[in-house]
Amino acid sequence: MLRSPLTRRQFASTLGAGIGATLVEGPFRARRAEAALPASPAADAASGVVLLNSNENPYGPAPAALEAITKSERVAARYPDAAEEQLGEAIARLHGVSPEQVVLGCGSGEVLQMADMAFLGPGKKVVVAEPTFEAVLGYAKVTKAEPVKVPITADFRHDLPRMAAACDAGTGLVYVCNPNNPTGTIVTRDEMAFFLERVPRSVAVVVDEAYHHFVDDARYASGFEWLAKTPNLVLVRTFSKVYGMAGMRLGYAVASKENAAALRDHAAWSNANAAVLAAALASLAEPDHVSRQRTLNRETRDWLVRELERDGRRYIPSHTNFVMIDIGGDVKPVIDAFLARRIYVGRKFPSLPNWLRVSMGTRPEMQAFVDGFRAIVPAVKAARAS
Ligand SMILES: Cc1ncc(COP(=O)(O)O)c(C=O)c1O
């Protein structure tokens, strides 16, 4: 008897419990495994799955952006050249630069890929912190560049003096993730100023500000402070985090005209679709969206941290929409135990094998996480008392 072929969704659910194995192996594989996850927040709620693994925004796009997406059916038949130009101009106005300095990407992931293609190649070195967001190193494999990993400091921050010292004439690119994924820590204004002075101008300094909007600390400064006088600086932003559009795919770089042109050489034509361009324009025009999201995130993160402290757990103070928590042993079984409860938490980071990264969800989702955590890894205080 012939069996009917599995639908995509059925196939996904058969993966079920096996997903955990792939989730720990890095962002590219993790993304593939996530194809097996529910497709929308509504589906998540219905399936009981809690997604706290990819630092997304659980509240989704701004209302004006959602409306723009709905209306984009009217422009779906046409190439989005005019919308690309409009958005490029809006981003340029936002940052006080010229539109030629703005490069759009299918997510900031594509922008990071463009940077690797533009500034690396065989024999070139790429300097990164360890651990940090892995995309730049992942794409660097294709360019055959040599990775130079500089361990983070004892307080889980970029060691910028050592990273600057590692940059020489053979270096093509140095990557600074500020705030850093997965540690949630920041580089301060003074540290960045010192670093930018020391890195040779021949090296492209790529500062990834995916989590910029969540930072409240006055010691932090965006790279835009230095852009005009630092021609080798490439700043990267995304609509996936505070703007809640990870599924829509849009990011951008802002750089000198020359470096922007170098990046653009490696972009696919029309790499941003009509719906996301309209949504991004609408998001930028919505005055309260960022501050609302920032407040929601801060309130949830503060609540989570209080719960962690109540249990006597160690965590890294976070400037982002995720927190790293010390498990006190291999995090892999803990990730798996959460998975069995249909709660997806961050993957294992090889240089921080005892730490669990959890993204901020809604308050009920975080309550589910805390309840699960107390069952899986008993509170340190309680364990000490018994
Ligand atoms: C630091 C950092 N940069 C870039 C990205 C990629 O984001 P996207 O391609 O969705 O813009 C991520 C995703 O989690 C990230 O954490």
Side-chain angles (χ1 to χ4, degrees), residues 9-321:
R9 187 52 65 94
Q10 283 165 336
F11 174 69
S13 63
T14 61
L15 285 176
I19 290 170
T22 43
L23 273 175
V24 297
E25 291 180 41
F28 306 110
R29 281 187 171 240
R31 288 278 149 75
R32 247 172 274 147
E34 282 157 15
L37 298 176
S40 70
D44 299 349
S47 65
V49 168
V50 177
L51 299 179
L52 306 175
N53 55 332
S54 291
N55 306 339
E56 297 147 341
N57 181 338
Y59 307 103
L66 281 175
E67 198 188 331
I69 292 165
T70 309
K71 287 185 178 157
S72 69
E73 64 184 19
R74 295 180 199 161
V75 287
R78 303 292 170 188
Y79 289 110
D81 303 4
E84 264 177 39
E85 215 173 293
Q86 254 183 302
L87 181 65
E89 283 164 6
I91 291 171
R93 270 195 306 278
L94 176 70
H95 296 299
V97 298
S98 86
E100 295 122 288
Q101 293 179 260
V102 177
V103 183
L104 300 180
C106 179
S108 57
E110 192 201 0
V111 175
L112 296 174
Q113 183 183 33
M114 289 178 211
D116 276 17
M117 302 302 280
F119 305 119
L120 297 177
K124 284 279 182 193
K125 284 186 285 190
V126 51
V127 176
V128 300
E130 173 58 35
T132 194
F133 185 61
E134 304 95 328
V136 160
L137 274 196
Y139 295 129
K141 280 190 195 145
V142 180
T143 67
K144 303 199 171 14
E146 180 198 331
V148 178
K149 297 183 186 181
V150 177
I152 54 173
T153 59
D155 59 349
F156 306 101
R157 292 158 13 82
H158 278 67
D159 192 340
L160 284 191
R162 279 192 61 201
M163 287 178 73
C167 291
D168 57 24
T171 306
L173 186 161
V174 57
Y175 174 71
V176 180
C177 190
N178 192 28
N180 190 37
N181 180 8
T183 52
T185 48
I186 53 166
V187 161
T188 66
R189 172 181 283 107
D190 292 350
E191 288 167 338
M192 185 64 88
F194 176 91
F195 176 72
L196 292 175
E197 264 172 33
R198 266 151 195 81
V199 175
R201 285 285 150 103
S202 57
V203 179
V205 179
V206 176
V207 179
D208 184 340
E209 298 187 341
Y211 302 99
H212 158 83
H213 298 93
F214 299 115
V215 184
D216 293 313
D217 195 313
R219 293 168 304 166
Y220 165 86
S222 160
F224 279 98
E225 222 168 87
W226 294 275
L227 188 67
K229 50 181 190 293
T230 317
N232 52 330
L233 191 53
V234 176
L235 301 174
V236 179
R237 294 272 182 103
T238 179
F239 282 87
S240 296
K241 307 299 176 182
V242 85
Y243 292 109
M245 298 201 288
M248 299 289 292
R249 314 303 302 130
L250 188 70
Y252 63 91
V254 180
S256 67
K257 284 181 194 169
E258 294 70 26
N259 277 344
L263 293 173
R264 220 173 274 119
D265 282 346
H266 298 279
W269 289 352
S270 293
N271 56 0
N273 66 72
V276 76
L277 289 167
L281 259 176
S283 298
L284 293 181
E286 194 154 303
D288 299 334
H289 176 78
V290 168
S291 63
R292 251 196 331 263
Q293 296 302 312
R294 191 210 287 273
T295 304
L296 275 170
N297 181 65
R298 188 195 309 114
E299 285 171 358
T300 308
R301 193 181 60 205
D302 287 353
W303 174 85
L304 173 66
V305 158
R306 281 197 301 275
E307 294 300 305
L308 295 175
E309 284 174 356
R310 209 140 66 98
D311 290 351
R313 299 190 200 276
R314 183 175 171 231
Y315 61 91
I316 305 176
S318 166
H319 299 269
T320 62
N321 62 343

